[in-house]
Amino acid sequence: MDQFENILLEKMDGNIYCLTINRPKVLNALNQQTLMEMDAALQQVADDSSARVLLVTGSGEKAFVAGADISQMQNLTPLQAKKFGETALAVFRRFETLDVPVIALVNGFALGGGCELALSCDFILASENAKLGQPEVCLGVTPGFGGSQRLPRIVGRAMAMEMLVTGRMVDANEALQRGLVNHVYPQAELLEQGLKLAAKICNNGPVAVKLTKELVQRGQDLDLENACAMESDLFGLSFACDEQSEGMQAFLEKRQANF
Ligand code: DAK
């Protein structure tokens, strides 16, 4: 596996990958190089047909990612800022289009680009000390990595507007109530809980899991009729895979399926 400077990519038991943003001195802020390394890491995971789940987290106990790197952004020209935003948007989009589920383990601050990174994952587990927010307006800029679009789709327009125009951070419990995160755990248990959840996903048919992610990701931007038609197509396709016969046979024989 390639060595990176600003991230770590590990392949763990059960074909579960873990990508860690590793710049704890600046609370894992995202600079251009980190984004490029994330892109290369995502390519490695995408190229590995045995990959089943990707976990994404931040190094240290304080932050998931405290945003785009403000010191690198400070002197950008408008065109450079646009390019920087486009780079991040393309990398974040890869988390959504990666064929396996991506789980963000938000272990502290997830602000600005950090919150937007978590929003690009399929779902979020948070530690009790997590704080999520979009404070870009406090810096005099708009969100640039998708937050103004993904946040309203997840928490609804009113709550998203409140977060986006006040810059207020929400803590883990409020994020849980708002459906922004799926579960909250003590920080020391977060990785273990992430691995447990990943292991549950790995018990299921890998192709069915991939097709289901594709349905959810592609379907949310379609009208209901076309989205359901796509579901019928992929449902039909799942009957072309060995795991459908094994899964159904195992049920009828009252045993665990061997995928
Ligand atoms: N960038 C760079 N360095 C950061 C950072 C960041 N986002 N966040 C923290 N750091 C650094 C701090 O400068 C400090 O460095 P030293 O002073 O030790 O050298 C170190 O991390 C520890 O931080 P603090 O000393 O501040 O720690 P505290 O516990 O006191 O505070 C905090 C933690 C997370 C509340 C605070 O660090 C903070 O407010 N950080 C900034 C959070 C933030 O504003 N994030 C959003 C960044 S903006 C675009 C438009 C917009 C964007 C991008 C593109 N386009 C139109 C294309 C914007 C995106 C963003 O993410």
Side-chain angles (χ1 to χ4, degrees):
M1 208 159 287
D2 285 351
Q3 291 301 306
F4 298 107
E5 252 180 65
N6 294 343
I7 65 167
L8 305 167
L9 182 67
E10 293 164 82
K11 189 171 184 183
M12 306 167 104
D13 286 349
N15 296 315
I16 297 164
Y17 276 90
C18 185
L19 190 165
T20 305
I21 316 299
N22 189 28
R23 302 182 76 210
K25 284 190 182 144
V26 288
L27 306 187
N28 305 318
L30 300 174
N31 59 8
Q32 181 77 19
Q33 184 183 337
T34 308
L35 289 168
M36 298 310 359
E37 291 186 10
M38 288 164 73
D39 195 51
L42 284 164
Q43 188 61 50
Q44 281 189 31
V45 179
D47 287 344
D48 180 353
S49 58
S50 69
R52 296 289 196 89
V53 177
L54 173 63
L55 303 174
V56 182
T57 195
S59 207
E61 293 181 351
K62 209 166 158 183
F64 173 68
V65 168
D69 189 323
I70 298 169
S71 55
Q72 191 182 66
M73 267 193 308
Q74 187 187 10
N75 295 316
L76 295 182
T77 65
L79 281 180
Q80 287 168 333
K82 182 168 183 285
K83 184 100 185 72
F84 183 49
E86 285 166 354
T87 303
L89 283 168
V91 176
F92 288 9
R93 182 74 185 135
R94 293 193 71 157
F95 287 97
E96 289 173 329
T97 56
L98 191 73
D99 62 355
V100 298
V102 182
I103 305 172
L105 303 179
V106 172
N107 55 318
F109 291 110
L111 303 176
C115 187
E116 290 162 312
L117 169 60
L119 295 173
S120 305
C121 297
D122 293 302
F123 44 93
I124 303 175
L125 306 187
S127 59
E128 287 166 341
N129 65 324
K131 286 202 161 61
L132 297 96
Q134 298 285 164
E136 286 89 341
V137 288
C138 311
L139 299 169
V141 291
T142 67
F145 298 171
S148 66
Q149 304 310 310
R150 290 192 178 95
L151 191 60
R153 283 167 165 79
I154 293 171
V155 298
R157 192 177 63 181
M159 180 61 186
M161 270 300 283
E162 183 189 326
M163 287 175 69
L164 290 162
V165 300
T166 65
R168 178 172 77 84
M169 296 181 209
V170 299
D171 65 20
N173 284 326
E174 186 177 357
L176 183 65
Q177 282 168 20
R178 298 285 183 179
L180 182 50
V181 308
N182 293 58
H183 302 282
V184 177
Y185 298 107
Q187 187 171 51
E189 288 175 25
L190 189 63
L191 177 61
E192 183 194 330
Q193 293 291 349
L195 287 168
K196 256 195 205 168
L197 186 58
K200 276 195 185 150
I201 295 170
C202 294
N203 284 337
N204 299 325
V207 178
V209 168
K210 288 179 181 179
L211 293 179
T212 301
K213 170 164 176 170
E214 188 179 340
L215 281 170
V216 173
Q217 285 293 343
R218 285 176 54 201
Q220 67 192 354
D221 296 322
L222 294 177
D223 62 275
L224 192 62
E225 195 172 338
N226 280 304
C228 288
M230 178 178 66
E231 187 182 82
S232 298
D233 289 344
L234 295 201
F235 177 64
L237 183 62
S238 65
F239 280 69
C241 302
D242 292 345
E243 63 183 51
Q244 174 265 334
S245 39
E246 166 58 13
M248 294 191 177
Q249 191 68 28
F251 174 80
L252 294 172
E253 290 172 4
K254 302 190 188 310
R255 63 173 171 82
Q256 194 74 33
N258 181 18
F259 292 120

